[in-house]
Amino acid sequence: MAKIKVPSLLIVGAVLIGFLMGSGLSGQVHAESEGLLGQLHVFNQVLRYIKTNYVEEVDSQDLVNSAIDGMLEQLDPHSTYVNPESFSRMNERNSGEYEGIGISFEMRDGYITVVSAIEGGPSYGLGIRPGDRIVAIEGESAKDLNSQDVVSKLKGPKGTKVNISVARPGLDKELAFTIVRDKIPIYSIPYTFMLDDGKTGYLRMIRFSATTSEELTTALRDLESQGMERLILDLRNNSGGFLNQAIEVSDKFIDGNEVVVYTKGRIDGASQYYYSTDDATFAKYPLIVLVNHGSASASEIVSGAVQDHDRGLVAGVTTFGKGLVQRQYMLSDGGALLLTVARYYTPSGRLIQRPYEDRDEYLDHFRLADQDEDGNAVAQAPADTTEKPVFYTLNEKRVVYGGGGITPDVEINLEREFNEIQVKLEQSQLFFEFAAEYVATHFDPATLNATEFVRDYQVTDATIDEFDAQALATDVVELSREELDAEREYIRAAIKRELAGNMWGINARYQVYVKDDPVLSEALTHFPEAVEMAKIYERGWSTNNR
């Protein structure tokens, strides 16, 4: 980050006041600008005294950043300063792509261990697999590198090359790869597949980035081609993203010329109504939207629009309640100011933002909610709806509740629970490592079908015995034979999950994982209600558009 020099504050202040005074504003604004100039002068004096006279040497950049943070703490929790490094990462995540070799990795025993090769990326095309260890980069040992060094060595501009050496489980000889870097997609929808009943499509959306709407169209068409008759849209732990993408996602399900969301603010352009179109709407199949306390912002726009228009059933627990609109202002140091300029409201008039008088409590819950795609945000039961303001849906005039967040139509307050032994096994990474070795010695993925494997394959008792023997022989986790025997069925499911992931990637892995998801299992029992809601929506739309 570039150093902020003390004199620059005077320059910024002078430019700002010069603009205000030279804009032909009223005497009141003129007086306010003079007051601001005086305040900036005092700030500059304090900073200069600290810099020259404080008992210890201080960094003026740290002082200014602290002053900025203190100023923003007087506003809402989502008005923030983003430093240049964080801003670059944020842009990369939201753009939907970056340039590099296309792997996700973890450091295990000092080695870069591939967790997955991103489908469509150059590593995936070369056959790099989960469990592969990158032992050398450009002929130099890659052992004990830190994550930042790994990223700097492997990421790079499209078209450039990097040479790596890979140790693969089951092979004695290292493999050499020359990887041509390329644009790597960052998927908003990494998981999309048909459930075992052959008629339910499942789609999990983990963020709202620049490519989300396009990905959704592709995913829905793919599911329709497989015979989808109804859909689960999983927005759990999706903490949001771009407003325009939330509107376009809602547009897939809601007929044209309907309000999707509206905003209210103080400045020009901050108060807007956003409408659906006739261009992007898909068939009106029964729809269930899954939400939890980790669903925020854009996720709440979508679930609120679906609920208010009686388009589908919202199931889970009350969403986070993040309904403030930030506008991005670029700063001279390469960072950005994300400043709240408006509030979101659902079509029925519900304010999405929940109260944040207790700022620390609010931010603690927001950090909990903001997890990665496999995060474990703690879902909370909705507050007593008798204390919440009542609103009504636009077609059926059903009661829905305001007060912050989206209160679901069907409360499913269930969480997948893990006991101490299961946690130890997962943290040890033994399942991942066992699967990498087992696939190398027992399977040829090219001869197998992923759908059939996920649906039909059974991990044998002999395979579990083999895993148990390895677990007992390692000092990574201390478990007894009796403890492993007590978790035999859990181990069976976990091995199958990692076998699928090793051979076909994260989508196949997740298909196995959700088979034991209690929220999804319960949601499926509510499709009769979603079917009736789809009929109501179709009837209401036909009546209103005769």
Side-chain angles (χ1 to χ4, degrees), residues 171-350:
L171 297 181
D172 296 329
K173 185 179 179 181
E174 293 178 1
L175 304 173
F177 295 94
T178 297
I179 305 177
V180 180
R181 298 181 178 97
D182 203 346
K183 288 187 180 297
I184 309 301
I186 302 175
Y187 292 113
S188 300
I189 306 173
Y191 312 118
T192 175
F193 45 83
M194 294 293 293
L195 298 183
D196 287 347
D197 61 17
K199 60 182 179 181
T200 306
Y202 174 90
L203 189 154
R204 184 171 181 195
M205 188 180 293
I206 63 174
R207 63 174 64 89
F208 288 80
S209 69
T211 61
T212 302
S213 175
E214 181 182 346
E215 290 180 50
L216 179 58
T217 296
T218 300
L220 290 175
R221 286 175 178 164
D222 179 56
L223 291 172
E224 287 177 344
S225 72
Q226 297 180 60
M228 177 178 67
E229 299 175 11
R230 58 191 197 179
L231 174 67
I232 294 278
L233 174 60
D234 193 343
L235 298 180
R236 289 175 294 174
N237 297 329
N238 183 327
S239 59
F242 291 157
L243 168 62
N244 71 310
Q245 292 296 307
I247 295 165
E248 291 184 22
V249 166
S250 302
D251 198 18
K252 310 295 183 194
F253 306 108
I254 296 172
D255 285 302
N257 202 33
E258 301 282 2
V259 175
V260 172
V261 67
Y262 66 92
T263 60
K264 290 182 181 179
R266 182 169 67 91
I267 62 174
D268 289 344
S271 297
Q272 298 277 352
Y273 277 79
Y274 298 91
Y275 292 86
S276 58
T277 71
D278 286 321
D279 297 335
T281 308
F282 278 72
K284 298 177 185 65
Y285 28 70
L287 172 66
I288 294 179
V289 180
L290 297 184
V291 296
N292 68 358
H293 190 58
S295 307
S297 189
S299 294
E300 295 173 298
I301 291 174
V302 173
S303 53
V306 166
Q307 188 178 58
D308 279 2
H309 286 289
D310 299 289
R311 173 59 187 88
L313 200 68
V314 177
V317 297
T318 300
T319 61
F320 179 81
K322 195 277 188 185
L324 300 178
V325 185
Q326 282 75 53
R327 182 169 291 181
Q328 177 179 297
Y329 297 93
M330 293 304 302
L331 302 175
S332 58
D333 67 348
L337 172 66
L338 303 183
L339 186 66
T340 297
V341 297
R343 297 181 177 91
Y344 290 123
Y345 294 81
T346 72
S348 67
R350 292 180 288 167

Side-chain angles (χ1 to χ4, degrees), residues 30-102:
H30 184 94
E32 289 177 356
S33 69
E34 287 186 334
L36 178 57
L37 178 59
Q39 292 161 358
L40 286 171
H41 180 66
V42 171
F43 178 81
N44 185 65
Q45 283 182 308
V46 172
L47 183 60
R48 204 183 287 181
Y49 283 136
I50 293 172
K51 182 70 175 175
T52 56
N53 300 319
Y54 186 63
V55 65
E56 297 175 358
E57 187 173 348
V58 294
D59 188 323
S60 59
Q61 176 184 331
D62 290 341
L63 292 176
V64 172
N65 286 346
S66 295
I68 292 172
D69 290 340
M71 179 167 53
L72 292 173
E73 282 183 7
Q74 302 303 308
L75 308 178
D76 66 275
H78 298 290
S79 290
T80 57
Y81 164 69
V82 185
N83 66 45
E85 182 180 351
S86 297
F87 183 65
S88 176
R89 289 198 301 268
M90 183 181 77
N91 278 342
E92 183 178 274
R93 183 174 65 251
N94 288 337
S95 69
E97 64 180 17
Y98 67 96
E99 294 182 352
I101 70 168

Side-chain angles (χ1 to χ4, degrees), residues 19 56 73 87 109 129 233-234 350 357 361 512 530 545:
F19 172 77
E56 297 175 358
E73 282 183 7
F87 183 65
D109 300 326
R129 288 166 35 181
L233 174 60
D234 193 343
R350 292 180 288 167
E357 285 81 4
E361 183 269 345
V512 177
N545 290 273

